[in-house]
Structure formats: structure tokens, C-alpha cells
């Protein structure tokens, strides 16, 4: 039996002749039924909305193309507790989860939960991991968009594939994740030349606007400066995931020691100081390096010499000798790390 808030919304849509509300409500009901494994009922509900004006635009069949080439479906494993997040980010995420969990109550007051999130921040500091943790908190799959499957060079192809993707996701409870969201604006020469990129981006934004609130859409970018105001405006929750502060790094090392059940031989505060400037992803790599060397040097018990030796190696990696630095002058800028 559908929930009372959805039934009320359906009646309201009928009374007002509001086809968009009607379609969104039926899609929410179908998503609920699918979650209960009532696939036949979910499909039959959707058959009814497919004939509505908004949905009649037939898709041009893209020959030999599978829906699966448009996204990866991931079962989330990481939770919010696994991440080290600024307080404000954690609070915003908990609020989002609460609104999604208690959407019946919100709907009974004619309110919808927020469901459009924009994550910004330098690479390797948890944008993808946070999208996964949100999906885990909602016990829904993470649908990660595959740009190589979405972006086509023929006129209309990209918009058509995006429409297929959105038609699929809107019928189930899921978290739709666009990593490197800005990439859509600067892909393949061909779509630029035809001026199609503008049409693609505006159709994408319209599709995002039109998503029912049971689909959480999370977009991530390392280049917020490339997004225009129209894009920013779409997202009800905008969060910055910064590079780790010294306190966050200390916490990282504390958790790592607890996980491996051994002290690293240096105080977390000292390690945080020495590795200041690295991203979470790089610190994780450092710790994995230490752990690998430790396992291979067993039965040696003490981690301190291994950590000290790895610190030296990482120092060379991030602060290479002057001659090498000269050779790299034109290359990518490297993080400068203390490691003294
Ligand atoms: N805030 C964090 N707390 C704990 N671990 C983190 C955090 N951020 C990143 N990590 C670790 O670093 C790894 C890489 O992070 P992630 O892929 O989420 O970064 P990203 O911001 O999405 O990077 P990119 O912009 O390159 O896609 C994660 O798998 C996780 O193990």
C-alpha cells in the first residue's frame, strides 16, 4: 500500500490537473514499490506515466547501445563515520539524510526534502567518498555517470543519452553522481563546433531540476570557477571539502593506528606536521606504503624505522633535488611538503 503522503499528493495533482506533480508522485510510488521488490507493480505504475505529454518524446534508438554503458552502479560501503569532515559539512550531510529519511513527514506539510548537492574542493579530499557515504546512509545504490559512454560526437547524441540515463534513474531510489561535473562543458571538439555543448548543458540542468526528490543528485568539481551562476543556483546544498588541516591529519593517523592496532612510532601530531600539504588520498597512499613494508618485513615488530624510511622517500618525491626540479619546471606543479 502506498504511503499516505504519496496518496495525498496524487489526489492533489489530480484535483489541480498538475501533470508534473502527478508524474513525480507516481514515480516516487514506483520507486517505493521497487525497493520492496514489487517490480511488476512498479513497472505497471510507470507504464501509466509514460503516456503523459512530458514523456512522449520517443528516444531515437542508439544502435547496439546498452544502458549500462552510461553509468556504473556501485553498492556503497563507506559511511560518513569513515570520513574526516569539517563540522559544517558533516552537519549538512546529516541534515540531508534526515530529510530524505523523514520525507513522509515533510510531504505531509507539503514540503520536499533537499536532494541536489554540489561538492567542490581539490582532488583527493573526499568528494567521491562523500557521495558514496551519502548513498550508504540512505541504503541506496550509487549511480556514477560514465562520461565516455554519455558524450557522443553526433548531433543530439549526448542529449539523447542523458535523457535515457535520467529516464532510468528517476524510476528508482538512488544517488546519481557526476564526478568532474565541469568536464561536460569542455569535452570533445566536435560538440563544441556545432555549438551543441550549450544545448547539452542546458538540457542537463533541466533534467536535474526535473528529478523527483527521491533521487539524490550529487555533482563534484575541482574547478568551481568554471561553473556559471545558473549551475550554482540549481544546488540546494553546496559543500567545500578542503585539503586536510593539521588537526584532520592527526585524526587520520590516530584512526590508522587504531585500524592496524599498532603505534606508528611517531606521534600523530608530528606526522601531521611532517606530511602537511598532502591530500587525504596521498596520506592514505603513504600509510598503505608503510603497511606494505611492515607486512613484508615481519617478524620485525617496530614500525618506527619503516615510517622514518618512508618519510625520506616521500620527501624526495615531493621535494625533488634541484636539478630534477629544473627539468620539471614546465610540468605540473607539485605539492611542497614539509617532511623535515
Ligand atoms: N575526508 C576524508 N576522510 C577520510 N578519507 C578520505 C577523505 N577524503 C579522501 N579520503 C581518502 O582518499 C581517497 C580518495 O578520495 P576521493 O576519491 O573521494 O577524492 P576526490 O575529492 O573525489 O578526488 P578527485 O577530485 O580526484 O575525484 C578516498 O578513497 C579515501 O580513502
Amino acid at each position: 500500500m502506498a504511503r499516505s503522503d504519496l496518496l495525498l499528493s496524487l489526489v492533489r495533482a489530480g484535483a489541480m490537473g498538475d501533470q508534473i506533480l502527478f508524474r513525480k508522485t507516481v514515480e516516487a510510488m514506483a520507486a517505493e514499490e521497487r525497493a520492496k521488490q514489487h517490480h511488476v507493480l512498479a513497472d505497471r505504475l510507470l507504464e501509466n506515466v509514460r503516456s503523459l505529454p512530458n514523456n512522449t518524446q520517443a528516444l531515437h534508438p542508439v544502435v547496439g547501445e546498452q544502458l549500462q554503458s552510461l553509468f556504473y552502479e556501485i553498492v556503497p560501503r563507506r559511511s560518513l563515520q569513515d570520513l574526516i569532515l569539517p563540522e559544517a559539512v558533516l552537519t549538512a550531510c546529516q541534515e540531508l539524510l534526515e530529510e530524505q529519511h523523514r520525507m513522509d513527514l515533510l510531504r505531509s506539510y507539503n514540503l520536499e526534502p533537499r536532494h541536489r548537492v554540489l561538492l567542490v574542493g581539490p582532488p583527493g579530499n573526499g568528494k567521491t567518498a562523500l557521495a558514496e557515504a551519502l548513498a550508504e546512509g540512505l541504503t541506496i545504490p550509487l549511480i556514477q555517470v560514465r562520461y565516455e559512454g554519455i558524450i557522443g560526437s553526433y548531433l543530439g547524441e549526448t542529449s539523447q543519452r542523458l535523457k535515457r540515463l535520467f529516464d532510468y534513474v528517476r524510476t528508482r531510489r538512488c544517488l546519481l553522481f557526476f564526478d568532474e561535473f565541469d568536464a561536460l562543458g569542455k569535452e570533445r571538439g566536435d560538440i563544441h563546433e556545432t555549438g551543441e555543448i550549450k544545448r547539452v548543458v542546458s538540457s542537463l540542468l533541466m533534467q536535474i531540476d526535473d528529478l523527483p526528490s527521491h533521487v539524490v543528485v550529487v555533482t563534484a568539481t575541482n574547478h568551481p570557477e568554471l561553473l556559471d551562476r545558473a549551475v550554482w543556483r540549481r544546488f540546494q546544498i553546496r559543500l567545500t571539502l578542503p585539503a586536510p588541516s593539521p588537526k584532520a591529519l592527526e585524526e587520520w593517523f590516530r584512526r590508522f593506528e587504531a585500524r592496524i592496532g599498532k603505534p606508528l612510532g611517531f606521534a600523530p601530531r608530528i606526522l601531521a606536521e611532517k606530511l602537511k600539504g598532502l591530500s587525504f588520498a596521498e596520506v592514505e597512499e603513504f600509510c598503505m606504503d608503510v603497511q606494505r613494508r611492515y607486512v613484508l618485513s615481519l617478524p620485525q615488530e617496530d614500525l618506527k624505522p619503516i615510517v622514518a624510511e618512508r618519510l625520506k622517500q616521500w620527501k624526495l618525491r615531493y621535494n625533488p633535488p634541484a636539478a630534477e626540479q629544473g627539468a620539471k619546471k614546465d610540468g605540473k606543479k607539485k605539492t611542497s611538503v614539509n617532511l623535515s
Side-chain angles (χ1 to χ4, degrees):
M1 178 61 187
R3 289 191 329 240
S4 53
D5 55 303
L6 290 176
L7 283 177
L8 285 171
S9 173
L10 199 63
V11 171
R12 202 166 52 241
M16 298 188 305
D18 184 340
Q19 289 197 340
I20 293 177
L21 178 63
F22 178 73
R23 180 158 56 92
K24 283 188 174 178
T25 310
V26 175
E27 283 166 350
M29 290 166 97
E32 293 240 312
E33 295 305 326
R34 206 178 291 287
K36 291 184 224 152
Q37 306 300 321
H38 301 162
H39 296 291
V40 177
L41 178 55
D43 289 341
R44 288 183 68 182
L45 281 165
L46 292 173
E47 271 163 29
N48 291 298
V49 283
R50 290 225 167 88
S51 60
L52 286 175
N54 240 358
N55 260 353
T56 49
Q57 201 188 351
L59 282 176
H60 298 287
V62 183
V63 182
E65 195 170 64
Q66 299 291 315
L67 193 59
Q68 277 73 13
S69 65
L70 308 181
F71 60 83
Y72 297 106
E73 184 160 342
I74 297 160
V75 178
R77 308 210 182 279
R78 210 183 306 246
S79 72
L80 276 182
Q81 289 75 38
D82 295 331
L83 300 178
I84 298 164
L85 299 167
E87 199 55 38
V89 172
L90 183 61
T91 305
C93 292
Q94 286 164 340
E95 283 178 6
L96 174 80
L97 295 186
E98 186 184 18
E99 289 176 26
Q100 285 287 326
H101 282 306
R102 304 183 69 196
M103 64 168 83
D104 325 15
L105 179 64
L106 290 176
R107 283 188 179 147
S108 70
Y109 283 84
N110 224 353
L111 294 166
E112 288 293 320
R114 286 175 294 174
H115 65 119
R116 295 189 291 269
V117 184
L118 175 66
L119 303 178
V120 304
N125 289 302
K127 298 183 294 299
T128 309
L130 183 55
E132 183 184 343
L134 289 172
E136 196 274 346
L138 296 167
T139 40
I140 55 179
L142 175 82
I143 305 272
Q144 174 153 11
V145 177
R146 296 173 60 175
Y147 294 117
E148 74 278 15
I150 292 275
I151 296 169
S153 37
Y154 296 110
L155 195 67
E157 207 178 4
T158 306
S159 301
Q160 197 185 100
R161 289 177 183 162
L162 277 171
K163 185 174 183 322
R164 274 183 87 177
L165 170 75
F166 277 88
D167 280 349
Y168 172 77
V169 296
R170 59 189 303 128
T171 62
R172 56 207 67 224
R173 289 214 66 195
C174 61
L175 186 146
L176 178 63
F177 179 53
F178 288 87
D179 198 5
E180 298 181 30
F181 191 55
D182 49 278
L184 262 178
K186 54 180 164 72
E187 279 291 333
R188 304 224 183 133
D190 292 359
I191 61 174
H192 276 291
E193 280 152 28
T194 58
E196 196 199 352
I197 192 65
K198 277 209 172 103
R199 280 195 294 279
V200 168
V201 172
S202 68
S203 109
L204 172 66
L205 294 178
M206 276 167 56
Q207 304 261 24
I208 288 179
D209 276 348
D210 202 31
L211 274 177
S213 56
H214 63 258
V215 179
V216 176
V217 57
V218 177
T219 56
T221 179
N222 304 332
H223 300 287
E225 71 286 356
L226 296 179
L227 303 180
D228 66 29
R229 288 171 72 91
V231 176
W232 280 88
R233 200 164 43 76
R234 246 78 192 188
F235 297 95
Q236 302 146 320
I237 300 177
R238 302 163 206 156
L239 303 173
T240 302
L241 295 180
S245 64
K247 261 187 88 176
L249 282 184
E250 249 186 272
E251 175 64 14
W252 169 277
F253 289 114
R254 230 174 266 121
R255 289 189 190 190
F256 183 73
E257 284 184 333
R259 202 161 64 226
I260 61 170
K262 276 192 82 60
L264 284 163
F266 289 82
R269 189 181 53 78
I270 304 290
L271 285 174
E273 177 60 29
K274 286 184 180 296
L275 292 172
K276 183 167 71 185
L278 297 191
S279 66
F280 277 112
E282 289 166 321
V283 173
E284 178 172 69
E285 201 188 327
F286 174 86
C287 288
M288 291 298 112
D289 243 11
V290 168
Q291 209 178 355
R292 255 180 240 115
R293 298 320 308 168
Y294 171 65
V295 168
L296 294 176
S297 68
L298 282 170
Q300 174 179 240
E301 276 295 296
D302 193 4
L303 269 171
K304 190 169 182 172
I306 296 174
V307 174
E309 192 262 338
R310 288 290 117 177
L311 283 170
K312 262 194 228 143
Q313 293 232 353
W314 277 61
K315 181 176 179 178
L316 284 177
R317 179 166 162 182
Y318 283 92
N319 303 319
E324 213 184 310
Q325 264 181 3
K328 279 193 180 149
K329 215 163 53 189
D330 299 326
K332 217 175 136 200
K333 191 172 162 278
K334 277 274 178 198
T335 322
S336 173
V337 182
N338 185 359
L339 292 168
S340 50

